[in-house]
């Protein structure tokens, strides 16, 4: 199991390293991104921890029996963990913003569904009202049809009464002619017999009955006129409602036309904002290209800095080994001269053992640094061959690797210095020991050694200049990054505003489409209403014309009847005189 631990050392009395090293377990890995704290102050002795400095954080893999299987410094892994945590936080923030946007969208959709549901309920109520009006109109049309049938029946009765009157009148005229003929042919003083008298009286009664039936027809015509007037009053109310609906439809149509024009203007503004957004994106792309070029330049300078640094370290070690580096005295030689030889030999062996451990550790770090350099070079090749879409991800990974490389390189600088110091200390101890033992194993100072001091100084100057150049490029890259971040934030803001405005315009467009549909439905109802009322009005007008024609015909019949009534009265007087005679 993998643990995060802190190296703790108990110093020996010589103050030259060594001592018992322990690992204080701080946290335990439970999953890929899940760590939990280790309770208590559990510390385990580990011999491999001696190569690390006191207080160093390490990652150690322990078996179930607390045996060390693998141990390494945790600096790089901690940086990677923190970077992953930062990325996870950014992703979490993005997800939170996306969730908030979805919540707002769902809220708006819910409100829109409620509004449409209310509109559907209103339309259902309007349809119910239209059905009721249609039923009333159907009932009124049925009444008008019945009235028209009644008027036709009355007209038939008027026609029948007129025919009967004309028939009786013709018969009466025939009887008058026959009576007149008989009077002219009969001798003076002749009288009408009883059969003729009865026939004449029947004809006069028939004429009187026809005139009476015509009077009843007039009463029915008056009732029909009253019914037609009542229907016309109801129909006038419907015509008034139709005018109101036409006025409402016209107002809504004007409002829809105004909103349509406003929506077109807002779409035009949105297209103009899209042009500005395209310019901002072009500027962002230019800044990103500049940033990429400067990053490539910085990577090249960084490789040069690392090469000079490696050369400087190698030359420094050569200068130190040859004794031309000006190493200062770090030990008390007089104390070593007075120290027992056995104790001095043990101290030298201990220093050799400690130096070997430090050398192995530094060598491992050097190998890890080499692997990181190879990774960076590999990423550089990928960036040059990558597409624009993959370049940003690779550049971010490249930046992380460079940051980790610089941190490890800075750590190695101090470790290299400590290794060199320990080498110098060990050499001084060995020189004293060999001199006291009088052995020939002491390293002989070769004559004619090359003075590497100027080369070291020149490399140091070149290293500082390149470091300054790299620092300048990093500052410029930071400025360009800030500019890119600012432009990118502006582009994201404009893009967000553009998307929100586009969504709003789409909603307004949908609402306008619904309003157009509602207005079209209202005009459809108005047209259907008018198409329903117009035939009823036409039928009612035709019925009124028929009733007026029947009334005129009845007036003529009544005038004829009044004349017939006067003739019948005269006939009765004549007949009464004949009967008396």
């Amino acid at each position: 199991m993998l643990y995060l631990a802190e190296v703790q050392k108990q110093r020996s009395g010589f103050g030259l390293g060594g001592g018992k090293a322990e690992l204080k377990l701080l946290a335990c890995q439970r999953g890929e991104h899940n760590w939990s704290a280790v309770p208590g102050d559990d510390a385990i002795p580990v011999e491999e921890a001696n190569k690390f400095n006191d207080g160093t954080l390490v990652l150690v893999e322990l078996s179930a029996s607390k045996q060390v299987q693998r141990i390494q410094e945790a600096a790089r892994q901690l940086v990677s963990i923190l970077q992953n945590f930062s990325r996870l936080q950014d992703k979490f923030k993005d997800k939170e913003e996306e969730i908030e946007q979805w919540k707002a969208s769902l809220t708006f959709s819910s409100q829109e569904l409620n509004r449409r549901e209310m509109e559907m309920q209103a339309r259902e109520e309007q349809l119910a009202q239209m059905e009721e009006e249609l039923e009333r109109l159907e009932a009124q049309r049925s009444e008008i049809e019945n009235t028209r049938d009644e008027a036709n029946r009355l007209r038939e009765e008027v026609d029948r009464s007129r025919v009967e009157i004309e028939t009786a009148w013709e018969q009466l005229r025939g009887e008058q002619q026959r009576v007149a003929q008989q009077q002219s042919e009969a001798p003076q003083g002749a009288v009408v017999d009883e059969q003729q008298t009865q026939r004449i009286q029947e004809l006069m009664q028939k004429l009187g009955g026809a005139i009476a039936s015509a009077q009843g027809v007039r009463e029915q015509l008056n009732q029909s006129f009253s019914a037609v007037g009542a229907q016309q009053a109801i129909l006038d109310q419907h015509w008034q409602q139709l005018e109101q609906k036409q006025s409402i439809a016209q107002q809504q149509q004007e409002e829809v036309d105004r909103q349509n024009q406003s929506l077109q203007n807002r779409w035009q503004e949105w297209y103009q904002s899209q042009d500005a957004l395209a310019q901002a994106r072009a500027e962002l792309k230019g800044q990103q290209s500049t940033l990429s070029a400067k990053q490539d330049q910085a990577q090249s300078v960084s490789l040069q800095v690392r090469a000079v640094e490696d050369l400087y370290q190698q030359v420094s070690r050569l200068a130190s080994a040859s004794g031309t580096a000006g190493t200062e005295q770090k030990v008390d030689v007089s104390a070593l001269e007075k120290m027992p030889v056995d104790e001095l030999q043990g101290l030298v062996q201990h220093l050799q053992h400690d130096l070997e451990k430090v050398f192995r550790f530094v060598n491992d770090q050097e190998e890890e640094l080499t692997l990181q350099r190879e990774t960076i070079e590999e990423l550089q090749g990928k960036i040059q061959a990558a597409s624009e879409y993959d370049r940003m991800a690779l550049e971010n990974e490249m930046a992380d690797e460079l940051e980790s490389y610089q941190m490890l390189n800075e750590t190695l600088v101090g470790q290299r210095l400590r290794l060199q110091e320990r080498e110098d200390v060990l050499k001084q101890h060995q020189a004293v020991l060999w001199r006291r033992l009088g052995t020939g194993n002491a390293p002989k100072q070769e004559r004619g050694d090359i003075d590497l001091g100027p080369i070291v100084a020149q490399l140091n100057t070149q290293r500082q200049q390149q470091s300054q150049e790299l620092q300048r490029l990093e500052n410029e890259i930071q400025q360009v990054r800030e500019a890119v971040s600012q432009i990118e934030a502006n582009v994201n803001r404009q893009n967000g505003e553009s998307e929100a405005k586009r969504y709003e315009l789409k909603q307004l467009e949908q609402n306008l489409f619904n309003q157009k549909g509602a207005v079209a439905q209202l005009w459809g109802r108005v047209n259907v209403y008018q198409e329903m009322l117009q035939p009823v009005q036409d039928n009612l007008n035709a019925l009124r014309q028929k009733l007026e024609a029947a009334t005129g015909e009845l007036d003529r019949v009544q005038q004829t009847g009044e004349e017939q009534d006067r003739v019948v009265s005269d006939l009765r007087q004549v007949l009464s005189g004949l009967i008396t005679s």
Side-chain angles (χ1 to χ4, degrees):
M1 185 173 291
L2 188 63
Y3 289 87
L4 175 65
E6 180 184 2
V7 176
Q8 294 181 347
K9 291 186 177 181
Q10 297 178 359
R11 294 292 181 180
S12 62
F14 294 102
L16 296 174
K20 184 179 179 182
E22 294 181 342
L23 293 180
K24 179 183 179 182
L25 302 181
L26 301 177
C28 177
Q29 186 181 24
R30 302 295 183 183
E32 183 179 0
H33 301 291
N34 186 13
W35 290 78
S36 61
V38 175
D41 295 331
D42 190 9
I44 57 176
V46 176
E47 180 68 21
E48 290 83 350
N50 288 320
K51 64 182 180 180
F52 299 101
N53 295 328
D54 188 22
T56 304
L57 294 179
V58 295
L59 288 175
V60 56
E61 188 172 350
L62 301 179
S63 63
S65 59
K66 299 294 183 179
Q67 295 297 322
V68 176
Q69 296 179 346
R70 182 170 59 90
I71 184 171
Q72 60 181 351
E73 190 174 1
R76 183 181 178 187
Q77 285 75 10
L78 285 177
V79 171
S80 177
I81 291 172
L82 292 175
Q83 290 173 349
N84 292 332
F85 180 72
S86 178
R87 293 193 189 100
L88 289 175
Q89 276 191 328
D90 295 337
K91 291 181 180 179
F92 181 71
K93 290 180 180 178
D94 294 338
K95 291 295 182 182
E96 282 186 342
E97 294 176 357
E98 186 177 354
I99 290 172
E100 292 297 329
Q101 292 177 358
W102 276 107
K103 285 182 179 179
S105 177
L106 290 175
T107 302
F108 182 79
S109 299
S110 176
Q111 294 175 355
E112 184 68 15
L113 288 175
N114 293 331
R115 185 184 63 80
R116 292 187 178 181
E117 185 177 359
M118 295 177 64
E119 288 182 356
M120 291 295 295
Q121 292 177 357
R123 291 180 181 177
E124 289 178 357
E125 293 177 357
Q126 290 178 356
L127 289 175
Q129 292 177 359
M130 288 186 64
E131 289 178 356
E132 292 178 357
E133 292 178 358
L134 182 60
E135 291 177 358
R136 287 197 298 270
L137 289 175
E138 288 292 338
Q140 292 177 2
R141 187 171 65 179
S142 299
E143 292 178 0
I144 292 173
E145 292 291 337
N146 295 332
T147 305
R148 184 173 60 185
D149 295 340
E150 183 67 20
N152 292 331
R153 186 183 62 79
L154 292 175
R155 186 173 182 180
E156 291 175 357
E157 289 183 1
V158 170
D159 293 338
R160 188 169 57 253
S161 298
R162 184 179 61 185
V163 171
E164 290 179 357
I165 292 172
E166 290 178 354
T167 302
W169 183 250
E170 292 295 331
Q171 290 178 359
L172 182 58
R173 287 179 180 174
E175 290 297 331
Q176 285 179 347
Q177 291 176 0
R178 198 164 43 252
V179 170
Q181 185 178 1
Q182 288 178 0
Q183 287 179 354
S184 62
E185 293 177 357
Q188 188 69 26
V191 296
V192 181
D193 58 11
E194 184 179 357
Q195 184 177 2
Q196 291 175 344
T197 302
Q198 185 177 0
R199 176 62 178 166
I200 290 170
Q201 289 179 351
E202 290 177 358
L203 290 173
M204 288 189 296
Q205 289 177 358
K206 190 173 183 180
L207 283 172
I211 294 170
S213 63
Q215 191 67 28
V217 170
R218 177 174 293 279
E219 293 178 358
Q220 293 181 357
L221 281 175
N222 292 333
Q223 294 177 359
S224 298
F225 271 114
S226 299
V228 169
Q231 293 294 329
Q232 185 62 50
I234 297 174
L235 200 60
D236 290 339
Q237 293 179 357
H238 287 291
W239 281 113
Q240 186 176 3
Q241 293 178 1
L242 177 62
E243 291 178 356
Q244 293 177 356
K245 292 181 181 296
Q246 285 178 339
S247 177
I248 294 174
Q250 185 64 32
Q251 292 177 359
Q252 292 185 3
Q253 183 66 48
E254 293 175 355
E255 179 65 20
V256 166
D257 294 339
R258 185 188 64 78
Q259 291 183 4
N260 187 32
Q261 184 63 37
S262 176
L263 183 61
Q264 294 298 326
N265 295 335
R266 295 187 65 179
W267 272 117
Q268 186 66 29
E269 294 176 356
W270 183 81
Y271 287 128
Q272 293 176 358
S273 66
Q274 287 297 108
D275 295 337
L277 180 60
Q279 294 178 359
R281 286 174 176 169
E283 183 181 359
L284 175 62
K285 188 174 181 181
Q287 291 291 338
Q288 287 175 344
S289 300
T290 303
L291 177 61
S292 178
K294 287 187 176 297
Q295 285 178 341
D296 293 340
Q297 184 180 0
Q299 290 170 6
S300 177
V301 174
S302 178
L303 292 176
Q304 294 177 6
V305 169
R306 288 195 295 272
V308 172
E309 178 69 26
D310 294 340
L311 182 60
Y312 173 77
Q313 295 297 332
Q314 293 175 4
V315 174
S316 297
R317 285 196 293 269
L318 289 175
S320 176
S322 62
T324 60
T327 304
E328 297 180 358
Q329 186 75 17
K330 296 182 179 295
V331 295
D332 188 1
V333 178
S334 60
L336 295 178
E337 293 290 347
K338 298 177 181 180
M339 184 181 296
V341 175
D342 295 337
E343 185 177 349
L344 180 59
Q345 287 179 341
L347 181 58
V348 168
Q349 291 177 357
H350 175 75
L351 290 175
Q352 286 178 342
H353 181 67
D354 186 61
L355 180 62
E356 289 175 357
K357 289 191 293 182
V358 174
F359 178 77
R360 287 196 300 269
F361 173 73
V362 172
N363 191 32
D364 293 338
Q365 296 293 314
E366 292 285 356
E367 292 179 357
E368 185 175 357
L369 190 65
T370 303
L371 292 176
Q372 285 188 352
R373 186 185 302 114
E374 293 176 355
T375 302
I376 292 172
E377 293 174 354
E378 183 181 355
L379 285 174
Q380 285 178 343
K382 290 183 179 179
I383 289 174
Q384 292 177 357
S387 61
E388 183 179 357
Y389 178 77
D390 297 332
R391 181 185 292 270
M392 294 183 65
L394 291 174
E395 287 177 352
N396 292 331
E397 186 177 356
M398 181 74 171
D400 295 339
E401 291 293 336
L402 283 174
E403 183 179 359
S404 178
Y405 180 86
Q406 291 175 359
M407 291 179 61
L408 183 59
N409 190 26
E410 291 174 358
T411 304
L412 275 175
V413 171
Q415 292 176 353
R416 292 189 190 107
L417 292 176
R418 286 193 296 273
L419 179 62
Q420 183 176 350
E421 291 174 356
R422 294 191 180 189
E423 287 179 348
D424 295 339
V425 171
L426 177 61
K427 288 178 181 179
Q428 294 182 33
H429 281 72
Q430 286 177 340
V432 173
L433 176 63
W434 288 330
R435 185 171 59 254
R436 291 184 63 183
L437 291 175
T439 61
N441 294 329
K444 296 180 180 180
Q445 183 70 27
E446 297 181 357
R447 299 299 177 182
D449 289 340
I450 299 174
D451 186 8
L452 298 178
I455 299 176
V456 172
Q458 185 178 0
L459 288 175
N460 188 26
T461 303
Q462 185 177 0
R463 182 185 63 171
Q464 292 177 356
Q465 291 176 352
Q466 289 182 348
S467 298
Q468 293 174 359
E469 177 67 16
L470 181 61
Q471 184 64 35
R472 183 186 63 80
L473 286 174
E474 289 179 350
N475 293 334
E476 292 179 357
I477 289 174
Q478 183 63 29
Q479 293 176 359
V480 176
R481 279 180 178 173
E482 292 176 356
V484 168
S485 300
Q486 184 176 2
I487 297 174
E488 189 173 8
N490 188 23
V491 168
N492 293 333
R493 179 183 59 79
Q494 292 181 4
N495 190 36
E497 292 177 355
S498 177
E499 288 298 324
K501 191 173 182 180
R502 180 177 176 274
Y503 180 76
E504 180 184 0
L505 291 177
K506 284 292 184 181
Q507 294 298 321
L508 291 175
E509 194 172 37
Q510 182 64 35
N511 294 335
L512 183 60
F513 177 78
N514 295 333
Q515 290 181 5
K516 286 182 178 179
V519 172
Q521 290 179 359
L522 182 57
W523 277 117
R525 289 196 296 269
V526 169
N527 294 331
V528 170
Y529 201 13
Q530 186 174 5
E531 291 175 358
M532 292 169 58
L533 289 178
Q534 193 61 46
V536 175
Q537 184 66 55
D538 294 340
N539 291 333
L540 193 60
N541 293 335
L543 178 59
R544 185 182 291 108
Q545 292 177 359
K546 291 180 180 180
L547 290 176
E548 290 175 354
T551 301
E553 191 67 28
L554 185 59
D555 291 338
R556 289 193 296 274
V557 171
Q558 190 171 4
Q559 291 177 0
T560 305
E562 290 176 356
E563 293 178 357
Q564 292 174 355
D565 192 17
R566 289 193 297 270
V567 173
V568 168
S569 178
D570 294 339
L571 286 176
R572 282 177 179 172
Q573 291 178 2
V574 172
L575 184 59
S576 177
L578 290 175
I579 293 174
T580 303
S581 302

